[in-house]
């Protein structure tokens, strides 16, 4: 936990920005996995963590700007709870650590919010993503669940994004810890991988390291010899020479700041020529995109420049052809690079995605593209100092997509489908680092994590 001043000044700024109304923060509850008492790993809501810092289930909070009250709602443990879970600080003690003096039992929240609504006080709430909070909001505000996302307070969302998008020095220090642990997980996987292993052995190894680091995974491990499947959580394949392993995983610290790193390495001790050629194209795009980062640039322009750079590499290999400016403008590169270059990262791996991607990654000046591939870009807006983002270009050979485009005779002028036949079983390559935008440029967070061909082969 940061000092109480950090949380107090975050809330003070929120009050200044919103000026009036009641701000509602619903913390997360335990969620039953196969029965109520056997729960999933508990993860507190990130907005709750940012403004109230308390990492426990069963809490909510209200900032009543008009009444000048900040109240934590939560229940003291009964003796029966203590017998099973052990003693814990009182709610009052927890609240005091984050500068809150007023604590009420959880059951008092519903009448508090209902009364405010009845009195005509604006109740600002955030888009819910947990079903229990959706049901609670239905009860408190009488808004049907399907309408809650759109009924959430845009002013509240924008005020939170304005703060959380700019990371403070203490947050950046925490994020460096997350990246360093994530990097160690990748190095361990690269060192441990052997032909004949099952992917799950490596996935388990890195998950164990994240937990041993005092936090947890920041998202479910993606680790696969089928790197062309972007979010592949299946870990049942055996590692064979001739394939590569794409690992996209990271740790979050005990304070829940996330790392999100991707590396790709060959199962054999060395890349084949074909693998190395594609790897170098991806790495060159990643390093080039990072080198270009500075405030004022739109991330959409960095995304398109990376797409263009990879298209040049693919043209040199005979896989793309024709006028590459036109190819990228029309979206032909998305056959190989069907996702965005990156996203903000912080307390969430896709930072603030619960608040709505367009509020976080887009602006009045930069609107979302409708084109396949670029439409998935989560961050497109102008970069500002204090932003932390991922840079994660990739090249994938997705047989189903190639077949569909070839059948549709799509972008025949830009894609050499005949040459692609030799790459059907190639898989995919992605390389990803986490980068801070500074006043004058950028800084890659954490200790360097091996990514040149030579460095990766040395670890193998
Ligand atoms: N780490 C997975 C993603 O960025 O979507
Ligand atoms: Mn990512």
């Amino acid at each position: 936990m940061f000092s109480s001043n950090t949380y107090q000044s975050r809330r003070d700024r929120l009050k200044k920005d919103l000026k009036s109304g009641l701000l509602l923060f619903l913390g997360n509850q335990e969620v039953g996995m196969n029965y109520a008492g056997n729960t999933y790993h508990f993860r507190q809501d990130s907005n709750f963590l940012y403004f109230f810092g308390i990492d426990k289930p069963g809490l909510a909070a209200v900032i009543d700007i008009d009444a000048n009250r900040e109240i934590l709602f939560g229940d003291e443990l009964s003796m029966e709870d203590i017998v099973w879970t052990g003693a814990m600080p009182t709610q009052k003690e927890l609240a005091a650590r984050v500068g809150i003096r007023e604590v009420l039992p959880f059951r008092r929240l519903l009448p508090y919010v209902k009364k405010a609504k009845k009195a005509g006080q604006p109740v600002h709430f955030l888009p819910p993503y947990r079903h229990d909070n959706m049901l609670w909001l239905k009860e408190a505000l009488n808004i049907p669940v399907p309408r809650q996302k759109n009924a959430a307070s845009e002013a509240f969302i924008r005020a939170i994004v304005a703060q959380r998008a700019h990371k403070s020095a203490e947050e950046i220090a925490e994020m460096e810890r997350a990246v360093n642990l994530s990097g160690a997980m990748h190095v361990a996987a690269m060192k441990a991988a052997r032909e004949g292993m099952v992917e799950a052995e490596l996935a388990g190894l890195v998950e164990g390291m994240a937990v041993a680091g005092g936090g947890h995974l920041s998202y479910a491990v993606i680790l696969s010899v089928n790197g062309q499947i972007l979010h592949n959580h299946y870990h049942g394949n055996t590692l064979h020479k001739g394939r590569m392993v794409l690992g996209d995983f990271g740790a979050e610290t005990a304070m829940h700041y996330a790392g999100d790193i991707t590396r790709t390495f060959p199962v054999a001790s060395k890349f084949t020529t074909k693998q190395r050629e594609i790897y170098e194209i991806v790495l060159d795009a990643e390093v080039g995109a990072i080198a270009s980062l500075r405030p004022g640039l739109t991330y959409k322009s960095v995304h398109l420049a990376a797409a263009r750079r990879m298209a040049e590499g693919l043209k040199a290999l005979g896989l793309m052809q024709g006028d590459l400016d036109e190819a990228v403008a029309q979206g032909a590169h998305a056959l190989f690079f069907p996702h965005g270059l990156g996203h903000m990262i912080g307390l969430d791996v896709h930072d603030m995605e619960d608040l709505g991607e367009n509020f976080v990654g887009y602006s009045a000046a930069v609107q979302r593209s409708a084109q396949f591939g670029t439409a998935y870009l989560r961050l497109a807006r102008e970069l500002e100092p204090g932003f932390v983002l991922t840079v994660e270009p990739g090249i994938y050979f997705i047989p189903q997509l190639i077949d569909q485009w070839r059948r549709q005779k799509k972008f025949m002028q830009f894609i050499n489908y005949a040459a692609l036949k030799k790459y059907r079983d190639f898989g995919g390559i992605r390389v990803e680092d986490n980068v801070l935008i500074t006043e004058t440029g950028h800084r890659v967070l954490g200790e360097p994590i091996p990514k040149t061909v030579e460095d990766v082969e040395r670890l193998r």
Side-chain angles (χ1 to χ4, degrees):
M1 205 181 267
F2 296 128
S3 79
S4 68
N5 283 343
T6 292
Y7 301 100
Q8 188 65 66
S9 61
R10 289 171 177 175
R11 295 193 301 269
D12 287 348
R13 186 170 154 202
L14 208 50
K15 287 185 261 190
K16 223 166 110 219
D17 286 351
L18 280 146
K19 296 187 183 69
S20 67
L22 187 150
L23 311 183
L24 176 63
F25 294 85
L26 297 176
N28 281 340
Q29 310 291 339
E30 297 279 19
V31 178
M33 191 164 57
N34 49 341
Y35 53 92
N38 191 21
T39 57
Y40 287 107
H41 166 71
F42 173 72
R43 177 55 156 79
Q44 182 57 290
D45 174 74
S46 296
N47 296 303
F48 194 90
L49 280 174
Y50 189 83
F51 291 100
F52 296 89
I54 308 171
D55 192 7
K56 299 213 177 297
L59 299 174
V62 152
I63 302 178
D64 189 337
I65 305 179
D66 308 312
N68 196 24
R69 293 171 80 179
E70 296 180 327
I71 312 169
L72 179 75
F73 290 86
D75 299 328
E76 299 300 344
L77 295 186
S78 66
M79 186 49 69
E80 237 171 90
D81 293 328
I82 291 171
V83 167
W84 288 95
T85 64
M88 298 221 193
T90 63
Q91 302 292 338
K92 259 220 140 30
E93 283 163 346
L94 290 172
R97 289 179 196 172
V98 293
I100 302 277
R101 283 182 298 277
E102 205 175 343
V103 178
L104 291 174
F106 196 88
R107 67 184 152 73
R108 296 278 299 276
L109 180 65
L110 191 65
Y112 196 100
V113 171
K114 279 188 164 174
K115 194 170 151 207
K117 183 173 184 266
K118 211 165 155 207
Q121 190 185 13
V123 177
H124 296 276
F125 65 94
L126 299 171
Y129 54 91
R130 292 269 182 113
H131 294 128
D132 43 12
N133 284 340
M134 291 175 190
L135 295 176
W136 193 92
L137 282 172
K138 166 87 177 67
E139 171 77 12
L141 301 175
N142 197 25
I143 304 172
V145 168
R147 280 208 242 125
Q148 288 175 0
K149 203 170 163 199
N150 286 336
S153 163
E154 185 172 329
F156 193 13
I157 290 170
R158 289 194 184 280
I160 291 180
V161 171
Q163 286 201 49
R164 284 184 55 189
H166 298 94
K167 273 64 181 175
S168 67
E170 60 187 353
E171 290 184 285
I172 291 162
E174 196 63 24
M175 295 193 69
E176 300 244 29
R177 279 191 271 282
V179 171
N180 284 336
L181 177 51
S182 305
M185 288 154 59
H186 279 273
V187 169
M190 285 192 242
K191 282 184 175 167
R194 291 285 174 274
E195 184 179 35
M197 267 185 174
V198 177
E199 293 159 341
E201 295 177 65
L202 295 175
L205 169 74
V206 301
E207 179 162 350
M209 289 178 74
V211 174
H216 209 263
L217 291 171
S218 44
Y219 52 99
V221 167
I222 299 165
L223 186 147
S224 182
V225 293
N226 288 319
Q228 79 282 5
I229 302 171
L230 299 184
H231 278 178
N232 192 349
H233 300 303
Y234 174 74
H235 299 140
N237 296 304
T238 300
L239 274 50
H240 292 298
K241 284 188 179 150
R243 298 294 293 181
M244 289 171 294
V245 176
L246 185 155
D248 178 345
F249 46 82
E252 60 173 38
T253 61
M255 285 187 59
H256 302 287
Y257 284 88
D260 178 4
I261 302 293
T262 306
R263 290 292 184 268
T264 310
F265 60 86
V267 175
S269 56
K270 291 198 180 321
F271 289 92
T272 66
T273 302
K274 216 158 117 191
Q275 289 169 345
R276 198 179 58 243
E277 285 169 349
I278 301 291
Y279 188 90
E280 296 280 20
I281 295 170
V282 175
L283 183 64
D284 171 70
E286 199 240 14
V287 171
I290 291 173
S292 74
L293 293 175
R294 59 181 160 73
L297 215 56
T298 70
Y299 205 51
K300 185 173 183 180
S301 70
V302 183
H303 167 88
L304 291 172
R308 168 71 208 235
R309 207 151 165 154
M310 290 195 284
E312 280 164 32
L314 291 166
K315 185 172 177 175
L317 290 181
L319 296 173
M320 288 190 76
Q321 58 202 12
D323 179 342
L324 295 184
D325 286 335
E326 221 14 72
V328 171
Q330 291 188 31
H333 62 279
L335 178 63
F336 306 98
F337 176 39
H339 62 76
L341 186 64
H343 48 86
M344 289 222 204
I345 179 166
L347 277 170
D348 308 300
V349 59
H350 294 171
D351 210 22
M352 300 174 275
E353 196 161 290
D354 60 313
L355 300 179
E357 237 173 63
N358 288 347
F359 291 118
V360 177
Y362 287 80
S363 65
V366 188
Q367 300 286 312
R368 189 182 286 273
S369 159
Q371 193 180 74
F372 174 74
T374 307
Y376 298 127
L377 185 58
R378 300 180 199 281
L379 172 63
R381 57 173 288 189
E382 313 79 2
L383 301 178
E384 294 178 10
F387 284 11
V388 180
L389 47 86
T390 69
V391 182
E392 48 179 313
I395 291 180
Y396 315 89
F397 296 88
I398 305 168
Q400 298 81 355
L401 188 62
I402 294 169
D403 290 347
Q404 187 199 60
W405 282 29
R406 194 187 51 232
R407 271 199 312 275
Q408 295 171 342
K409 301 197 177 354
K410 197 163 166 169
F411 297 132
M412 301 287 279
Q413 69 276 40
F414 302 129
I415 290 161
N416 183 348
Y417 287 103
L420 266 179
K421 287 201 181 98
K422 288 200 274 295
Y423 287 81
R424 277 187 81 78
D425 301 326
F426 183 92
I429 292 175
R430 178 163 68 253
V431 178
E432 173 179 27
D433 287 294
N434 304 160
V435 186
L436 167 72
I437 305 300
T438 63
E439 292 293 333
T440 52
H442 64 271
R443 183 162 68 79
V444 180
L445 292 186
E447 299 294 321
I449 305 162
K451 63 179 174 182
T452 64
V453 165
E454 297 70 33
D455 287 348
V456 170
E457 287 183 347
R458 204 168 300 130
L459 283 177
R460 299 292 303 122

